[in-house]
Every structure is written in structure tokens, then in C-alpha cells.
Amino acid sequence: QAGLTQPPSVSKGLNQTATLTCTGNSNNVANEGASWLQQHQGHPPKLLSYRTNDRPSGISERFSASRSGNTASLTITGLQAEDEADYYCSAWDSSLNSWVFGGGSKLTVL
Amino acid sequence: QVQLVESGGGVVQPGRSLRLSCAASGFTFTRYAMHWVRQAPGKGLDWVAIIWHDGSQKLYGGSMKGRFTISRDDSANMLYLQMNSLRVEDTAVYYCSRETGGNAFDVWGQGTVVTVAS
């Protein structure tokens, strides 16, 4: 089934800013918003943001999300070594009547 | 603290069945819809199913329809996934997750491993 599109990998330097993108369509990201998850190797995912730009308690302000049309974005400022992980976007798809995920972006902090 | 603990995974032959369980604690289980999400080895996340907070609705991901059944026992704070006619491609870590109410997954268990192989 159709999913969301994310770049497979993103590399940025320590203390720099990384922006990860997630492209969907009018049935999911554009109308329903997107959420973002972080997953370190060997661990379950962790919610970073939902309803496009709400942050769960305990999530650093360095993580911020936004949306423009069919594309959702996650911006991570002041990159730290511990930010190196896989990042997934997800959204409710009103056409498929299901949740859809992006393929994930592997963030490397140089 | 809020916690989800999955169990029931294992090695099973193609065509056989398996039932996964998820024990919830630290929150009012009956207030939340619950998901199952899976992740094949080295792959991304794949949504499996959701059951509404009151059990009134259930939805399934494409390849799971007709084979998997999600259910809950609110008296025991338990979530279940009955998996029938298992295929090699169902091999994955299966996570249970709590629905935020904003179409997102805010609490995750550690996962249980299902391997389908002959």
C-alpha cells in the first residue's frame, strides 16, 4: 500500500541543524497532519511530535515539526551525537482508512 | 509508570497461528485506542491494526486483513493480536502502542519477535 516518502539518509555536523522531510498527499499529510518518531538501533520508536507540531512532555525543544501542503518536516537544531538515529513520519490516510509510515531517514551526525 | 509489555512471539511454520499479548499498566486502559505495529528485520515500521478504546471499531493494514484479529480485555488491561495463516513475510518485531488521540503513537512496548520459517 502507498506510504509516505522520506529521504533514506541525511548527514549533518555536530551542532548544526538538520531538516528531515516527509512527503504524502491530500489524503494524509496535507489534511491530517503528520507525527514523527525517533528510533535508536535495537530500541522501540519514541514519539517526538504529533498533530504536526505538538511535542510530548519531555521532548527537547531542539525538535520542531511543521507542515507545508503535502510535505511535513522535522527540524533538529544543535545536533548532538545522541540524535543519530532513524526517524519515521506517520499519518492517518483517510483514503486507505489506515495509518501509513514513511520508509525512514537515517540521520548521521558527523 | 506507563508501560506496555508484549509477549507471545516465537518461531512458527508458515500457515500456522500465533497469538500475541500486550499488558498495559500505569494508565487508564479503557480511555485509549491501541495499535499493533510491526518492523521486519532491517526494515521500516508497518502499521498492523487498531482497536478503538471501547472496542467498537477495528481497522487493519492491507496485507493483514482477513488473517489477523485485534482484540482487548479491559478487565485485565490486555491487548491481543491473533495471527492466522502466517507467511514468511510476517516475520518481524511486533510492537503494541497507545494512540494519542491525535493519530499518533505515544507509548510503545519493547516488542516481541515473530519468526515464520519452515
Side-chain angles (χ1 to χ4, degrees), chain A residues 20 23 27 54 56 69 73 75 91 100:
Chain A
L20 311 180
T23 302
N27 296 312
D54 284 347
S73 299
T75 299
V100 289

Side-chain angles (χ1 to χ4, degrees), chain A residues 1 39 44-45 47 88 98-99, chain B residues 39 47 50 62 101 103 105 108-109:
Chain A
Q1 70 190 34
Q39 186 179 33
L47 184 65
Y88 294 93
S98 74
W99 274 259
Chain B
Q39 187 169 33
W47 178 72
I50 184 175
N103 291 332
F105 315 81
W108 294 71

Side-chain angles (χ1 to χ4, degrees), chain A residues 6-31:
Chain A
Q6 298 182 249
S9 62
V10 175
S11 298
K12 286 288 185 179
L14 206 59
N15 295 317
Q16 290 189 333
T17 295
T19 298
L20 311 180
T21 60
C22 168
T23 302
N25 59 42
S26 59
N27 296 312
N28 43 61
V29 173
N31 276 344

Side-chain angles (χ1 to χ4, degrees), chain A residues 22-80:
Chain A
C22 168
T23 302
N25 59 42
S26 59
N27 296 312
N28 43 61
V29 173
N31 276 344
E32 307 290 340
S35 62
W36 288 91
L37 298 153
Q38 177 193 61
Q39 186 179 33
H40 288 104
Q41 182 70 29
H43 291 270
K46 177 182 179 181
L47 184 65
L48 297 177
S49 76
Y50 63 107
R51 288 184 179 136
T52 297
N53 57 8
D54 284 347
R55 257 192 319 270
S57 61
I59 300 301
S60 170
E61 292 179 352
R62 297 190 299 108
F63 295 90
S64 63
S66 61
R67 178 186 60 183
S68 177
N70 293 345
T71 299
S73 299
L74 177 72
T75 299
I76 312 170
T77 59
L79 280 170
Q80 304 296 307

Side-chain angles (χ1 to χ4, degrees), chain B residues 29-69:
Chain B
F29 186 63
T30 53
R31 290 184 181 173
Y32 292 89
M34 298 293 297
H35 296 269
W36 285 99
V37 177
R38 69 183 184 181
Q39 187 169 33
K43 302 295 185 182
L45 301 171
D46 183 24
W47 178 72
V48 173
I50 184 175
I51 184 167
W52 258 237
H53 71 285
D54 58 1
S56 61
Q57 289 191 60
K58 305 173 185 180
L59 295 174
Y60 298 91
S63 67
M64 277 66 81
K65 289 177 186 174
R67 298 190 302 127
F68 290 8
T69 302

